[in-house]
């Protein structure tokens, strides 16, 4: 089985990527290589930040490497927290605190204007001149209260109209079918399959 390094420190992302790709690739995590993954995210977009993480770890490890940069964009907040989703409200704030802050900021925003989306950019680093980005998103609404225990991050307050449920109420399988990450990873998987075929 081919190996793929996944440059992340986020446990939620790890679980989802392993569920999505783990039958085809042996997913290696940076801590298994003893590599420090605290890469500074200086980009202005999800794509730029995922590229920074994938390239940094790809160079360090010499392995085929993927990195995910993702986040929640809320229209009524002009796209915030966006690329700052993990650090929204401060580096060490809990999600309960983040949710409280968001509810405050959105208190005067009517239900139909609470539109939002999760976005995901996944960069694959194969070599210095082979770097590819795969992106996707999922649309939803910011709910008024948290619901559900599945998933991670902002999933408890993200309402998915198609299912009439919050993302954290959906099973991991359903989330992977519809999510920003699930869809971006399937684009990556298709690309990987084609390079594998080309090599045969
Ligand atoms: P790495 O950089 O180590 O991968 P990170 O959590 O810092 O981990 P990001 O900078 O990409 O990664 O921030 C992503 C944040 O966006 C994440 O911490 C959540 O707050 C949010 N997020 C992304 N995908 C999500 C999902 O599927 N469900 C809920 N929240 C999500």
């Amino acid at each position: 089985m081919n190996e793929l390094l996944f440059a992340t420190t986020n446990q939620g992302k790890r679980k989802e990527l392993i569920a999505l790709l783990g039958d085809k690739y042996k997913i290696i995590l940076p801590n298994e290589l003893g590599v420090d993954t605290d890469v500074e995210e200086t980009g202005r977009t999800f794509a730029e930040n995922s590229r920074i993480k994938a390239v940094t770890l790809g160079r360090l490890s010499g392995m085929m490497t993927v990195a995910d940069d993702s986040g929640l964009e809320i229209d009524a907040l002009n796209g915030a927290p966006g690329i700052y989703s993990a650090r929204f409200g401060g580096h060490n704030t809990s999600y309960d605190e983040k949710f409280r802050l968001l509810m405050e900021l959105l208190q005067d925003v009517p239900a139909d204007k609470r539109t939002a989306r999760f976005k995901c950019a996944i960069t694959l680093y194969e070599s210095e001149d082979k770097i590819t980005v795969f992106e996707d998103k999922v649309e939803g609404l910011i709910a008024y209260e948290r619901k559900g225990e599945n998933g991670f991050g902002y999933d408890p307050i993200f309402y998915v109209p198609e299912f009439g449920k919050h993302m954290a109420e959906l099973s991991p399988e359903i989330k992977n079918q519809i999510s920003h990450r699930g869809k971006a990873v399937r684009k990556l998987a298709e690309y990987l399959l084609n390079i594998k075929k080309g090599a045969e």
Side-chain angles (χ1 to χ4, degrees):
M1 209 188 253
N2 286 342
E3 292 187 339
L4 201 55
L5 177 65
F6 185 30
T8 186
T9 55
N10 182 309
Q11 297 301 329
K13 290 184 186 177
R14 286 179 176 183
K15 267 197 201 152
E16 291 184 6
L17 195 95
I18 289 168
L20 285 158
L21 276 186
D23 58 333
K24 297 183 198 78
Y25 288 85
K26 183 168 186 328
I27 308 295
I28 309 289
L29 298 168
N31 57 304
E32 295 169 37
L33 303 177
V35 180
D36 181 7
T37 44
D38 210 4
V39 180
E40 210 193 332
E41 295 177 23
T42 52
R44 283 160 304 152
T45 61
F46 295 114
E48 279 176 19
N49 280 337
S50 72
R51 185 187 169 101
I52 291 169
K53 292 187 266 192
V55 170
T56 307
L57 268 289
R59 282 180 188 157
L60 265 171
S61 65
M63 292 180 66
M64 193 144 95
T65 303
V66 289
D68 162 312
D69 202 73
S70 44
L72 178 65
E73 278 183 3
I74 301 175
D75 293 323
L77 304 179
N78 296 318
I83 59 167
Y84 303 107
S85 295
R87 322 164 230 179
F88 178 65
H91 275 282
N92 292 316
T93 51
S94 66
Y95 278 92
D96 277 338
E97 286 171 83
K98 287 175 168 45
F99 297 164
R100 220 176 297 127
L101 183 56
L102 278 182
M103 292 310 138
E104 230 173 86
L105 292 170
L106 294 174
Q107 63 184 348
D108 297 325
V109 181
D112 64 329
K113 295 278 185 299
R114 294 166 77 102
T115 47
R117 66 204 56 75
F118 279 122
K119 280 190 169 174
C120 176
I122 291 186
T123 294
L124 171 69
Y125 172 93
E126 295 170 76
S127 66
E128 287 301 306
D129 42 35
K130 264 214 165 156
I131 299 167
T132 319
V133 188
F134 307 89
E135 294 188 80
D136 223 311
K137 60 183 179 172
V138 57
E139 301 283 341
L141 293 162
I142 302 301
Y144 289 88
E145 54 187 16
R146 56 170 303 154
K147 260 191 201 167
E149 301 300 328
N150 297 333
F152 67 96
Y154 295 90
D155 285 342
I157 58 157
F158 189 85
Y159 178 80
V160 188
E162 192 188 340
F163 287 89
K165 284 191 173 162
H166 293 210
M167 191 69 103
E169 295 182 287
L170 301 177
S171 68
E173 293 74 24
I174 300 285
K175 181 182 173 189
N176 279 341
Q177 266 173 39
I178 61 155
S179 80
H180 51 317
R181 180 165 303 100
K183 291 190 280 189
V185 169
R186 277 191 291 279
K187 290 178 181 171
L188 163 72
E190 200 176 312
Y191 175 92
L192 288 169
L193 194 69
N194 284 332
I195 55 173
K196 218 173 181 179
K197 275 190 198 148
E200 279 166 10

